[in-house]
Amino acid sequence: MATVAAVIASTHHPFYYRASTSAGADRPPFADEWVAKIEAFRQTLTRARPDVLVMVGSDHFHQLWLDNMPQFLVGKAPFYDGNFYNEEREFGLPRMFLQGHEELSSHLLREGIDAGFDLAFSNELRIDHSITCPLITLRPGADLPIVPIYTNIFAPPMPQPGRFVELGRTIRRLVESWPSDQRVAIIGTGHLSLELGGPRQFGPHGPDPEFDRKAVSWIASGDLDSALAEVSLDSLWAPGNATHGFMDFMLMMGAAGANVKADYTDSLDLFHTMEAYFTWYPEEVDAP
Amino acid sequence: MSKYLLNKFLYTVDRDPQLVERYRADPQGTVAWWEAEQANVILNCPTAERSTWLTFTDGERAALASHDYVTLFELGAHNFLTLTLFIALFERDYAEPLGFQREYAQRLSHWSVPYPDIST
């Protein structure tokens, strides 16, 4: 059976690419520290020696739209183009091209549907920065095949937080039951407290540092009980109007396992939002 | 109230570089054209298979035609769509990085949670 080589959860900050590649007067003062943290985080994936990446993210109204909105969707295509015109425009993100892994996509779809998730699928999916940003940070060569999984953290009505956790558990179980000798990293990105298009946006810190502190603690310790007790679809509006992206972190906590401590935890307090990086190793990995 | 249609306007303009410039230069004319020609196009269907029932309210039309993002927020337009498009429209007019985004926040500063409902 396949091996889960690593479970990785991260924020996805679309400004990282521009910050890390800028120079001179254009280079923001926080760029060097940010790059150092990302390069250390990248090593946690490299050490796991993955062959294929399951990438959990959320389309930001690029290809998925309100006339036909899936809650959970699995890409099943031989290739994926990445990034859209408005992401080039606003964030300077490059166009990307990724290889898919249709066999693993098929396995997750068939077994996921049979496990009780009526997953939507796409045979032609252009992935956005929720998936390309973690590739840029964790695997900038973009040399591994991916299986993209999209969740709806964006357009009410959304699935309950507990459903995200359960999907994460299911993805982990299904990867472990995939008849293959491949090493699979499950990577998902979301947000801590975040405000977009509201009065608390683009402040000196994230809109709710207290929520961020608690959230990092829940993720780092695998404390799903506390997260599920405190987080609801209604409560997530309070830390910031885009904080439902935290449910993708909860999905990754489900994939990592209840009460399983992260093997690697880091964070960076930036303007606008806090960055946070977590890696779990289900098996022993070689020392760096 | 037609939050869905407000969002559809923001979404279809934001993804088209020419429409972004047209809406910046002529908001009233762009909104009138869009409502007449585009509002009922189902995005994944041939144009002949269009809907027949989508129109803006007077308040929605006026908010779009005056680039009034504060009113769009208050009408429950999706916060991400409004922000993304309006950054494309106006960020260029501000010398300071994030100057437009911070003014946007300031102009909404009379709001605290709960914000207007964005459900569609």
Side-chain angles (χ1 to χ4, degrees):
Chain A
M1 294 299 161
T3 299
V4 176
V7 176
I8 295 184
S10 163
T11 43
H12 64 252
H13 203 313
F15 290 165
Y16 176 76
Y17 180 77
R18 185 179 274 159
S20 64
T21 55
S22 59
D26 291 336
R27 191 169 177 86
F30 49 82
D32 290 346
E33 182 187 10
W34 200 1
V35 169
K37 282 179 178 280
I38 287 295
E39 288 180 349
F41 186 38
R42 182 179 304 152
Q43 283 304 312
T44 72
L45 177 64
T46 307
R47 285 173 62 192
R49 298 178 287 108
D51 300 309
V52 53
L53 309 176
V54 173
M55 303 292 302
V56 179
S58 301
D59 179 78
H60 296 64
F61 287 137
H62 284 119
Q63 184 171 342
L64 307 183
W65 175 238
L66 297 170
D67 63 357
N68 190 4
M69 180 58 82
Q71 301 293 2
F72 299 118
L73 177 144
V74 177
K76 180 188 174 293
F79 302 100
Y80 302 93
D81 290 290
N83 291 329
F84 288 78
Y85 142 70
N86 66 0
E87 297 172 307
E88 296 179 298
R89 182 187 73 200
E90 187 172 349
F91 310 127
L93 290 176
R95 296 288 167 122
M96 295 173 71
F97 184 70
L98 285 308
Q99 194 176 341
H101 199 302
E102 291 193 273
E103 182 191 327
L104 179 54
S105 292
S106 291
H107 174 76
L108 294 178
L109 280 164
R110 180 69 267 157
E111 299 298 323
I113 292 166
D114 292 347
F117 282 93
D118 296 330
L119 300 166
F121 65 91
S122 173
N123 294 147
E124 186 181 8
L125 190 67
R126 189 175 186 98
I127 55 175
D128 82 358
H129 73 267
S130 66
I131 288 176
T132 60
C133 285
L135 289 168
I136 287 167
T137 53
L138 290 163
R139 197 78 181 185
D143 59 334
L144 295 177
I146 67 166
V147 174
I149 299 179
Y150 270 152
T151 67
N152 174 20
I153 51 93
F154 221 60
M158 297 171 237
Q160 296 285 351
R163 194 70 173 151
F164 282 74
V165 173
E166 191 54 41
L167 180 59
R169 287 190 182 117
T170 301
I171 292 169
R172 167 77 178 266
R173 194 173 71 243
L174 297 185
V175 169
E176 289 174 337
S177 71
W178 179 35
S180 166
D181 60 1
Q182 299 271 285
R183 296 174 60 81
V184 182
I186 306 171
I187 300 171
T189 69
H191 294 293
L192 302 176
S193 73
L194 181 64
E195 178 101 340
L196 294 170
R200 295 173 287 174
Q201 70 182 7
F202 294 99
H205 307 282
D208 191 339
E210 174 60 19
F211 177 86
D212 295 344
R213 189 192 60 74
K214 278 198 295 189
V216 167
S217 167
W218 294 333
I219 301 165
S221 61
D223 188 357
L224 271 169
D225 287 344
S226 295
L228 283 166
E230 291 200 34
V231 167
S232 70
L233 288 173
D234 284 341
S235 79
L236 283 173
W237 297 110
N241 66 352
T243 308
H244 289 81
F246 182 64
M247 295 194 293
D248 281 337
F249 269 118
M250 296 181 73
L251 186 156
M252 297 311 299
M253 291 171 72
N259 301 311
V260 178
K261 287 187 171 53
D263 294 294
Y264 180 91
T265 298
D266 199 7
S267 61
L268 176 63
D269 189 19
L270 280 182
F271 75 97
H272 185 44
T273 182
M274 176 177 271
E275 286 281 275
Y277 314 119
F278 307 90
T279 300
W280 293 262
Y281 292 120
E283 58 162 20
E284 292 294 316
V285 294
D286 298 335
Chain B
M1 195 157 91
S2 41
K3 281 188 280 185
Y4 169 70
L5 194 62
L6 280 180
N7 290 339
K8 188 176 178 179
F9 177 88
L10 300 168
Y11 173 68
T12 55
V13 173
D14 179 65
R15 66 202 330 232
D16 181 330
Q18 291 179 324
L19 272 183
V20 170
E21 294 311 310
R22 182 171 168 185
Y23 180 48
R24 174 180 159 95
D26 177 16
Q28 201 161 352
T30 306
V31 171
W33 163 81
W34 189 89
E35 187 174 11
E37 303 292 332
Q38 302 295 311
N40 280 281
V41 173
I42 302 175
L43 298 179
N44 198 32
C45 292
T47 53
E49 315 289 0
R50 61 180 55 222
S51 299
T52 57
W53 50 273
L54 291 155
T55 55
F56 292 125
T57 65
D58 290 343
E60 291 165 345
R61 191 179 300 112
L64 289 174
S66 57
H67 288 154
D68 182 354
Y69 58 82
V70 174
T71 297
L72 292 174
F73 178 88
E74 292 171 350
L75 290 169
H78 197 288
N79 45 290
F80 180 84
L81 290 169
T82 311
L83 175 65
T84 302
L85 175 57
F86 277 74
I87 286 174
L89 294 171
F90 297 121
E91 185 182 37
R92 69 185 86 167
D93 298 333
Y94 290 71
E96 281 292 304
L98 301 176
F100 172 69
Q101 289 88 329
R102 289 185 172 131
E103 181 181 292
Y104 190 126
Q106 178 60 34
R107 287 189 57 202
L108 289 168
S109 61
H110 55 291
W111 277 96
S112 57
V113 285
Y115 298 161
D117 180 17
I118 62 164
S119 299
T120 52

